Amino acid sequence: MSKHSFVIFIVIVALVAALFTVFSPSGESKEPLVINEVISKIKAGEVQHILVEGKELTITTVDGEEWESTLGSNTDFLEVLRQENVDLTAKGAPNIEFKEGGGLLSSEWSLVLIQFLPLILFGGLLVFLLRRAQQGGANQAMGFAKSKAKMFTANKPTDTFSDVAGVEEAKEELQEVVEFLKYPDKFSRLGARVPKGVLLVGPAGGGKTLLSRAVAGEADTPFFSISGSEFVEMFVGVGASRVRDLFDQAKRNSPAIIFIDEIDAVGRHRGAGVGGGHDEREQTLNQILTEMDGFEANTNIIILAATNRPDILDPALLRPGRFDRRVVLDQADINGRKEILQVHIKGKTISQEVDLEAIAKQTAGFSGADLSHLVNEAAILAARRDKQQIEQGEFEEAIDRVIAGPQRKSRKMSAKEKGIIAYHEAGHALVARNLPNADPVHKISVIARGMMGGYTRQLPTEDRYLTTRSQFTDVLATLHGGHVAEEIMFSEMTTGAQNDIEQASKIARAMVTQYGMSEKLGPRTFGKREEMVFLGKEISEQRDYSDKLAEEIDEEVNGFIQKAYDIAKEILTNNKPKLVQIAEKLKDQETIEGKELDELFDSEAPALEPAAGQA
Ligand code: ADP
Ligand code: ZN
């Protein structure tokens, strides 16, 4: 190992040296002039212009030729000219231009650097070798870990429970942890066994870190944090020793909170995945378990660990005395989202008219982090528009930004393309509007955002946890609305429907194979789905049914899709004047939303001229 790194070191030195040779000033292609030649050219009146960049001269002669020259290291060009009695005010004298810098390597600093480089490298090598000798082979990984341990500086967070919104139950459960940290005697006197480890389960950006900091803040204790992914280091043994250091420091500063983010990175089920256990991970995990078991009853430390994948954790972690408590942070519902927004608009100037409820309604599926991002985007937009306060308009625009990335003004769409997208989106909207179980359409737009050409946004009327079969059927038909509209109007399909079709196929397949919604095949699942842990979220499907059934599944899936397609086609054919009306308005206006959209749906569509729409 030590021989190895030595070779690498030498190679690096060689490379650096080579680089300096390549870039050094002496490597010019055109033969440079010496300074005396420059002077004689000036005296002969041949020079028109001289550019002085640091020590580099670029000489342009009267007949347009260019020459380079370099000044000596301690020479001032003007001084040289003076000594040579060159009169710069005379007729035919060159004009001289000075420019700062002159490139990294021609400046004085680089000269110094080049002169001292060998010395620096040599010194570095010496220090490197000495330290290596001191540590000795086996010890060096430990030394590395030790030095990293200095990073576990505790901070005392100022966050409180009032900064975390929409997770009332979780806060209540953690209140107990706070009390334990604050008044340990109260518990130990009664012989109560206090929790050591609490597992926080919830989606990314749901406030797990924030809540943990708030626990420390409420209890006024130091907060040590580390992320599971950090443990996965190069050297075997480092992870384990970092765990030891972490717990040592926490113990010295108790009462304290230790927060382990992404614990699934080290604590995933041993033996899961392919290629055997990861040695390093396993040792780290073992060290965590050992430390937790080794706590004496009165060690006033609580370990909070966060994960969004509790299902893949090693059961050993979840045993009594370890992470035996589980606090779930649910995705925020509409009220939760409103409260989170309230937390984040604190300290910002918001217009009286802003309707947080309406914003909460439009942000189903947003995490706390998304909402925080949303408020910030709105503030930025308002600032850019020179407004005194943030208004509803900024929030609406910010929602779109967070959903689909910033508006792409630069993307140029041909009128023809815009027409196609307008009909495509109008098709989605109109089909959804005509189906009883589809979510109401809130907004249609042909403005490109992120990767989408245009978009149709539907809003659920309520938060939903179950989806019915009729809802799925209407979703399928709505998805087909886009390309069916293109087909009806232009007798042609485009690639714009790719995403819709992909989604529709996925839903139809899930209806048959996972939700048992096919009448013919009945309520059973097909295929054993297994998440391959070692590849992250990859899903592999194992067939547990016959070829004959496979055929029937395909037929059923196709059946659902075909039926949805027929529904979409029927609606759009019967409402063609309306389709044209919406699409034409969309082409004009680019975005239609809210009340205007409702009115448009309800109004009488003008009758079609025979050739209308064949744009
Ligand atoms: P996690 O650890 O679950 O991935 P974080 O705690 O890091 O999520 O959340 C990131 C940011 O999102 C927080 O700093 C906070 O600004 C915001 N946030 C998330 N959840 C909430 C919440 N429930 N209430 C208020 N803000 C939240
Ligand atoms: Zn579409």
Side-chain angles (χ1 to χ4, degrees), residues 424-425 428 479 482-483 496-497 500:
H424 180 107
E425 299 304 333
H428 283 309
L479 281 170
H483 68 89
D500 297 333

Side-chain angles (χ1 to χ4, degrees), residues 379-395:
I380 291 173
L381 278 172
R384 255 208 233 135
R385 292 172 183 169
D386 282 329
K387 294 204 173 168
Q388 300 303 315
Q389 46 189 7
I390 313 172
E391 283 161 33
Q392 188 78 8
E394 277 79 50
F395 278 106

Side-chain angles (χ1 to χ4, degrees), residues 419-432:
I420 294 174
I421 294 174
Y423 276 94
H424 180 107
E425 299 304 333
H428 283 309
L430 196 56
V431 171

